[in-house]
Amino acid sequence: MTARGTALLVALLATLAGYLWVVELGSRRAAPPTAAEAPPLLRVPPAAVARVELAEGERRVTAVRGERGWTDAAGHPWSEGATVDPDPAVPGDYGLGPGARRLELTAADGRPLLALELGERNPAWTGLYARRAGEPAVLLVGGVLGWELEKLRQAAPEANP
């Protein structure tokens, strides 16, 4: 190899190293800009929602909140679609009963808002079996609840095992 060929290879190597340093490694070291916290999608309390509409092409589904619960646009009541088993013979099949996890939500004034007994995940892992405290009916709630509760557990101070 000649001195000229060696100089050309060294120049090519220096160019590639410079490219990697400036373009590839430089972009990794640059701190991403901190984004301002995005406003919530729903800027009102969920109870303020009086009508929900879902349009899928020509099909439209409408839910209207009334005094006796949710109805369709014609006034027909919605079924309790989240109910998996209205009166299970063996709640333990769903991971419910004595020893099940409990989730309680309380208002600032101490008033209980919600008390749930949480069971196992459904077979597809898309939801959790749950039931309201004191009620027999088994419901299926979104699996995101399980993930959010795990994040809450991991973020808790050490004093709260």
Side-chain angles (χ1 to χ4, degrees), residues 80 82-85 116 128-132 137-141:
E80 294 295 322
T83 302
V84 174
D85 189 342
L116 288 178
L128 289 172
Y129 295 117
R131 65 180 173 181
R132 290 182 179 94
V138 176
L139 310 171
L140 186 63
V141 298

Side-chain angles (χ1 to χ4, degrees), residues 5 41 47 53 79 82 88 93 97 101 105 114 121 138 143 153:
L41 289 175
E53 290 192 38
S79 66
D93 289 348
R101 295 177 295 166
L105 305 179
L114 177 67
R121 291 186 178 273
V138 176
R153 192 173 15 265

Side-chain angles (χ1 to χ4, degrees), residues 21-22 24-32:
W21 180 263
V22 172
E24 297 296 326
L25 296 177
S27 65
R28 289 184 188 164
R29 280 187 279 171

Side-chain angles (χ1 to χ4, degrees), residues 69-125:
W70 291 93
T71 65
D72 66 6
H76 302 109
W78 285 93
S79 66
E80 294 295 322
T83 302
V84 174
D85 189 342
D87 192 14
V90 184
D93 289 348
Y94 301 101
L96 301 169
R101 295 177 295 166
R102 306 243 187 291
L103 175 65
E104 296 178 0
L105 305 179
T106 308
D109 62 5
R111 177 175 38 99
L113 299 173
L114 177 67
L116 288 178
E117 187 177 336
L118 301 173
E120 300 294 328
R121 291 186 178 273
N122 67 339
W125 272 57

